[in-house]
Every structure is written in C-alpha cells, then in structure tokens.
C-alpha cells in the first residue's frame, strides 16, 4: 500500500432538520474548526473542506482555514475544491497567503473548474464570465494561471513612481514562499489528470469521474493516477507530486454506528452510475461495516493502493463528537492496515 496520510473531507452541510446537529451556518463553521482540532488530537493528518456557492454548505474557505490554523498546530488544512470560476485570482492569492502564514505553512489548496451547482452560471453573478470563444472550464484555468503566477511572486501591477520613485512590477503581499508547491487540481477525467501533471500541480482525483469505461471506480482512478505520474515524469518536474483520492468510510463498532449506518452496510456494495454534464459519470461505493471487512475491501481498491493521501468524507451533520469517534476508529483500526505512516 502507498497510503501515507489520512484526512477528512467535510462538505459542510447545514440544515434545520431532524437529526442534524449542524442546523445553521454558524454551526457548520464552528463545528468545522472544532473537528479539525479533534482530528488532530486523534492523529489524523488532514482537515479538508468542500466549497460550494448558493447552497447551505461551506462557501468562503479562507476565514475558516485561518481559524483552523490558529486553533491547530500540526494537521494539514485544505480545500477539495475551490471553484476557480468564482475567484478573483489576486484577492484569492492574498487570502491564501495570509491563511497559510497563520497556519505555519500547512495549507493544501485543491482548486478546479468546480462541479455542477444549484445556480445557473453562478460565477457570472460574482462578476466573471468566459471571454469570447472560451468555455467556463477555460475561465477556471485562466484564473488559475494568474493565481499561481502571483503566489509565486510574479508582478501583478506597476508601481506608482510618484510614491515609489521607480517604475517596476509589484507582487502581491503577503506571500508564502512554499505555497506554490501545495496547489492541487481536482480532476474528474484521465485527460485533465495529464494536464494537471503538465502544469506541475498535485492531483486530487475527484469524488466522481465524469467518464465511464465499464471498469470499477477504483480501477478507473488508478488508471488516471498512472497517466498522471507518467506525464509528471515526462514533464521533468523535480519534486515528488502528491495524489489524493476520497472515500466514504463508515466503520461500525457500536450500537450508534449500527443505528446510523447498519442499513448502508447491508446494502448493495457497488459503484454508482449517473448522468452529469450530458454524459455518464461513475461514483465510488460506500465502505460501511466491520473495520476488518472494510480493510479487506480497501486493499482491493486500486486507487487507494496507489494514492499517497486518502480523504474520508464525513457526515458532518452528525456533529463533532460523532465524527471524532468515526475518525479515531479509522485511525486506530483501519488506516494502519493500509500502510498509514509506513
């Protein structure tokens, strides 16, 4: 097994419905911070949040990441993913650097074109639209190119000689020198995984793939990872890239687990197929049941074997205490058998 890091991924849902402990936006935000603290205490390596707009989910990651960074000392803090269609690259660069400096250089920023959303072309309401001949994916990549350039120190504006005495390009401030190596692209296809490697970004394989070749989800992701690493080597980048996959892992060890997920454990354990953006998409299955059974199933998951980081999606509306229990079970009874920290 290749797994070296285990993190959690929260979608940050909040709804005032029966059974939800996360009923308001305040609940979702404050509980995300508390869960990062609890995850660090049980030894989990990463705390990641999903970013969505126009929905009752987490939307503005950098205040949250900065607060997580101020409350923790070791755990990685990340996003999976930020939709770059919505972002002002320069303002985002300032926010990202500030949050990274507060955390002491622990941010792992997953960015991408984003996923289907509740708003119709919501990024246009934020003031951004594709240029003539561009797609919305082109818009996301254009924003990404500017963002990556300025966090690496590229000049973003010319100085005012009346103020500075010289005419020269000015970089954004603050800057975090190592942040450029900690940018990930959320990839939903094999083609975009190759592009990600060519750009020198880490690979965050999506929770769903917007293509289907008939093979299991883990095998399709493993092919995506293989193509990514081959393209990375061909590009000649000097550093070792990182690769993450996300999985729904629900170990059942007590009556409360059984009440929540017993029916899921007894259900059909197969990938799911659906229609997305006009094509067929493949979703991974849920791993629910006895920890030993989950270990054996994950050992058969080719993408889990090949990734260095696994992000466990958590049912955040069940609250901090329950999710800390779930993560501790994974850290003590599942992750070590997958090569965690070998």
């Amino acid at each position: 097994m290749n797994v070296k890091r285990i993190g959690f991924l929260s979608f940050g849902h909040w709804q005032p419905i029966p059974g939800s402990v996360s009923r308001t936006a305040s609940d979702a935000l404050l509980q995300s911070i508390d869960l990062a603290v609890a995850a660090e205490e049980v030894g989990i390596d990463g705390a990641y949040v999903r970013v969505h707009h126009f929905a009752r989910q987490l939307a503005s990651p950098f205040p949250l990441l900065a607060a997580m960074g101020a409350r923790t000392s070791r755990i990685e803090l990340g996003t999976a993913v930020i939709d770059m269609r919505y972002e002002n690259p320069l303002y985002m660069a300032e926010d990202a650097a500030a949050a990274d400096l507060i955390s002491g250089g622990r941010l792992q920023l997953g960015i991408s074109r984003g996923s289907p959303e509740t708003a119709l072309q919501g990024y246009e309401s934020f003031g951004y639209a594709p240029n003539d001949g561009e797609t919305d994916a082109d818009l996301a990549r254009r924003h990404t190119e500017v963002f990556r350039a300025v966090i690496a120190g590229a000049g973003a504006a010319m100085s005012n000689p009346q103020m500075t005495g010289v005419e020269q390009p000015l970089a954004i401030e603050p800057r975090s020198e190592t942040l450029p190596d900690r940018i990930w692209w959320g990839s939903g296809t094999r083609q975009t995984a190759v592009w990600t490697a060519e750009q020198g970004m880490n690979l965050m394989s999506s929770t769903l793939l917007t293509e289907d070749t008939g093979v299991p989800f883990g095998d399709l992701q493993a092919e995506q990872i293989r193509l990514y690493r081959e393209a990375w080597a061909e590009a000649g980048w000097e550093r070792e890239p990182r690769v993450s996959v996300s999985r729904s892992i629900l170990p059942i060890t007590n009556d409360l687990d059984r009440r929540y997920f017993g029916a899921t454990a007894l259900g059909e354990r197969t990938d799911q197929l659906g229609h997305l953006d006009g094509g067929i998409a493949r979703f991974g299955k849920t791993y629910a049941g006895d920890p030993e059974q989950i270990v054996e199933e994950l050992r058969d998951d080719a993408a889990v074997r090949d990734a260095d980081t696994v992000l466990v999606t958590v049912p955040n509306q069940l609250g901090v205490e329950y999710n800390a229990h779930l993560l501790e079970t994974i850290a003590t009874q599942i992750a070590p058998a997958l090569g965690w920290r070998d």
Side-chain angles (χ1 to χ4, degrees):
M1 303 294 288
N2 193 41
V3 176
K4 299 297 189 297
R5 293 177 177 89
I6 300 286
F8 76 79
L9 171 58
S10 173
F11 284 48
H13 293 285
W14 53 274
Q15 292 186 77
I17 58 175
S20 175
V21 181
S22 184
R23 304 179 67 82
T24 67
S26 177
D27 289 340
L29 290 162
L30 295 174
Q31 289 172 16
S32 295
I33 299 167
D34 289 342
L35 185 56
V37 173
E40 181 172 83
E41 290 174 351
V42 302
I44 294 295
D45 301 303
Y48 289 72
V49 294
R50 195 76 175 261
V51 180
H52 280 287
H53 302 283
F54 300 107
R56 290 184 173 184
Q57 293 178 246
L58 301 173
S60 49
F62 292 109
L64 178 57
L65 292 171
M68 287 174 158
R71 289 278 308 278
T72 58
S73 61
R74 177 194 59 80
I75 196 168
E76 292 182 342
L77 308 166
T79 54
V81 292
I82 297 171
D83 187 333
M84 293 301 290
R85 296 173 297 181
Y86 283 81
E87 297 296 324
N88 177 315
L90 300 186
Y91 193 75
M92 177 179 170
E94 292 179 342
D95 275 356
D100 195 44
L101 292 170
I102 289 170
S103 74
R106 288 181 281 134
L107 259 58
Q108 303 286 341
L109 292 182
I111 62 177
S112 190
R113 173 254 183 188
S115 58
E117 52 190 7
T118 55
L120 182 63
Q121 297 173 322
Y123 45 88
E124 293 187 358
S125 298
F126 275 52
Y128 308 111
N131 293 329
D132 290 342
E134 275 190 335
T135 66
D136 64 329
D138 295 329
L139 170 65
R141 293 187 183 195
R142 173 160 52 87
H143 283 184
T144 297
E145 183 179 6
V146 175
F147 169 71
R148 295 185 66 212
V150 296
I151 63 172
M158 291 302 296
S159 64
N160 180 350
Q162 293 180 326
M163 295 287 292
T164 65
V166 295
E167 286 189 59
Q168 62 184 20
L170 296 176
I172 61 102
E173 298 290 350
R175 282 183 55 216
S176 176
E177 296 292 337
T178 60
L179 182 59
D181 286 344
R182 290 180 274 116
I183 306 301
W184 307 56
W185 186 262
S187 171
T189 67
R190 292 163 294 175
Q191 181 180 6
T192 56
V194 170
W195 176 85
T196 302
E198 293 169 347
Q199 302 304 307
M201 288 185 282
N202 301 307
L203 176 66
M204 190 169 276
S205 187
S206 177
T207 51
L208 59 90
L209 297 178
T210 54
E211 57 185 349
D212 178 49
T213 63
V215 302
F217 181 76
D219 291 348
L220 185 56
Q221 274 191 319
E223 182 182 356
Q224 183 191 44
I225 293 168
R226 176 181 60 78
L227 293 171
Y228 167 79
R229 289 195 168 122
E230 289 174 354
W232 183 277
E234 186 173 342
W237 301 112
E238 292 183 2
R239 68 179 179 86
E240 185 71 19
R242 289 184 58 184
V243 174
S244 75
V245 296
S246 300
R247 291 293 182 268
S248 177
I249 302 174
L250 302 169
I252 296 176
T253 61
N254 61 30
D255 289 341
L256 185 58
D257 299 332
R258 195 165 293 107
R259 186 169 55 138
Y260 283 143
F261 304 116
T264 302
L266 295 173
E268 188 177 4
R269 309 168 79 83
T270 59
D271 296 342
Q272 302 175 59
L273 293 178
H275 291 273
L276 197 63
D277 286 347
I280 296 177
R282 183 172 285 270
F283 303 75
K285 64 184 179 183
T286 296
Y287 293 90
D290 179 88
E292 292 183 0
Q293 175 189 1
I294 291 175
V295 165
E296 292 307 312
E297 292 181 347
L298 288 172
R299 281 176 171 160
D300 289 335
D301 187 319
V304 170
R305 290 199 305 269
D306 291 346
D308 59 74
T309 301
V310 173
L311 302 181
V312 179
T313 56
V314 294
N316 74 282
Q317 286 183 273
L318 296 182
V320 175
E321 183 178 355
Y322 181 78
N323 279 292
H325 151 71
L326 183 151
L327 292 172
E328 185 172 22
T329 301
I330 290 172
T332 57
Q333 299 186 44
I334 294 175
L338 301 178
W340 187 40
R341 294 178 178 167
D342 280 358

